[in-house]
Amino acid sequence: MKIQLLPSSFDSQGRATSEQRLTCFLIDERVTVDAGSIAIALTDAQRNSVRNIIVTHPHMDHIASLPIFVDDLFAELKEPVCIYATQEVIDLLERDVFNDNVYPKFAQLENSHGRVMEYIPFRVGEQFKVAHLQVTAVPVNHIVPTVGLLVSDGKATVGFSSDTAETDEFWNMLNRAPHLDALLIETSFPNSMHQLAAAAKHLTPSMLAKELGKLNHNGIDILAVHLKPAYRDALISELAGLKIPSLKVMEPGLTYEW
């Protein structure tokens, strides 16, 4: 399984930088988890191959360019862009984004080939298929309805925490998995901002260390994501201070393979 955290920031020469302002993970050139930077960071080939998007929750940094992605492809789509989400999140996307005020109701529109966007609801705790992947979602602890994911291609298995504070169902799901290769887990605020992290339901490095104590799998790759750009240097230092050998910061634009 190949996973890339798509870039969302670029320098004056158009080169991707390490700051993560938007969240979108590309899996095997075919599926994304969230869609923050989907319309600005995919290559032309990837734009032609990605038609399946899992939305973990409706915060703007996770869906920001989703409407633009569908809009850009509108005339050329020969199959709909499929949005996988809980019914609760679908309802929020329809109310707040695809509402004919912010953006058109693409799920109700067609081009010359047919429908351009389709919602596919899934239920938490039940495995579902997205392209070649098997996925299971469980609720995590965030301020809007949010799910964490367990994703497998039949060989490799990866966990995505999405945005969360302290949680239990996510760890229980990972621990039930017979095999786990990697974990992508958020760490948004430095330890000095624990109060804000708790209010916003995000993790600090010290909170992350406690959460990792709930994980039974050993020897897996652990990649920290969702580092707020303003605190990136402090977060990198504090994460290194945890002295967890398998813990690294995921770099936007790089492809990781398991």
Side-chain angles (χ1 to χ4, degrees):
M1 187 188 302
K2 295 181 180 180
I3 301 178
Q4 181 186 15
L5 171 58
L6 291 183
S8 58
S9 297
F10 303 87
D11 64 19
S12 58
Q13 280 75 47
R15 295 172 299 202
T17 66
S18 59
E19 289 84 2
Q20 183 189 353
R21 293 182 170 86
L22 304 171
T23 295
C24 183
F25 299 99
L26 175 65
I27 305 177
D28 292 339
E29 310 286 306
R30 298 178 61 187
V31 176
T32 71
V33 172
D34 292 322
S37 54
I38 192 169
I40 63 174
L42 291 179
T43 65
D44 288 343
Q46 291 164 346
R47 287 175 72 253
N48 290 328
S49 63
V50 173
R51 294 294 181 267
N52 298 280
I53 300 164
I54 307 168
V55 177
T56 64
H57 67 292
H59 273 163
M60 187 60 72
D61 55 324
H62 292 254
I63 63 163
S65 66
L66 173 58
I68 300 169
F69 177 70
V70 181
D71 198 2
D72 284 349
L73 294 172
F74 189 98
E76 64 191 74
L77 285 167
K78 295 182 179 178
E79 58 182 317
V81 174
C82 294
I83 310 299
Y84 296 79
T86 63
Q87 188 62 54
E88 193 169 13
V89 169
I90 290 171
D91 291 344
L92 292 171
L93 290 174
E94 282 287 275
R95 187 192 74 183
D96 299 331
V97 181
F98 299 105
N99 56 13
D100 282 340
N101 290 314
V102 175
Y103 249 83
K105 296 179 179 179
F106 282 134
Q108 299 179 16
L109 300 180
E110 296 184 354
N111 64 13
S112 60
H113 303 288
R115 301 178 67 184
V116 297
M117 192 177 85
E118 178 180 357
Y119 295 112
I120 302 179
F122 59 76
R123 295 184 179 182
V124 296
E126 297 181 6
Q127 190 176 81
F128 58 98
K129 188 175 182 181
V130 181
H132 62 301
L133 303 172
Q134 295 295 329
V135 184
T136 306
V138 294
V140 292
N141 181 20
H142 198 38
I143 59 176
V144 295
T146 306
V147 294
L149 305 172
L150 185 70
V151 179
S152 177
D153 65 357
K155 296 179 181 179
T157 303
V158 177
F160 296 79
S161 75
S162 190
D163 291 10
T164 188
E166 298 94 336
T167 190
D168 290 315
E169 286 189 66
F170 178 68
W171 301 110
N172 293 337
M173 175 178 68
L174 296 190
N175 289 335
R176 288 193 299 269
H179 178 73
L180 187 68
D181 293 277
L183 168 63
L184 279 57
I185 185 162
E186 79 120 271
T187 317
S188 298
F189 293 101
N191 294 328
S192 62
M193 303 183 74
H194 175 89
Q195 188 172 358
L196 177 58
K201 293 195 174 181
H202 285 292
L203 296 176
T204 66
S206 63
M207 295 164 70
L208 170 65
K210 292 180 181 178
E211 288 298 288
L212 290 176
K214 301 175 182 178
L215 181 64
N216 293 340
H217 293 278
N218 296 315
I220 69 168
D221 293 323
I222 303 171
L223 297 174
V225 298
H226 207 270
L227 282 68
K228 297 286 188 181
Y231 317 116
R232 183 177 176 84
D233 290 343
L235 283 164
I236 289 174
S237 177
E238 291 179 0
L239 287 166
L242 297 177
K243 299 189 183 303
I244 300 174
S246 58
L247 173 62
K248 296 180 175 63
V249 172
M250 191 172 195
E251 293 294 335
L254 295 183
T255 298
Y256 297 77
E257 186 171 0
W258 294 277

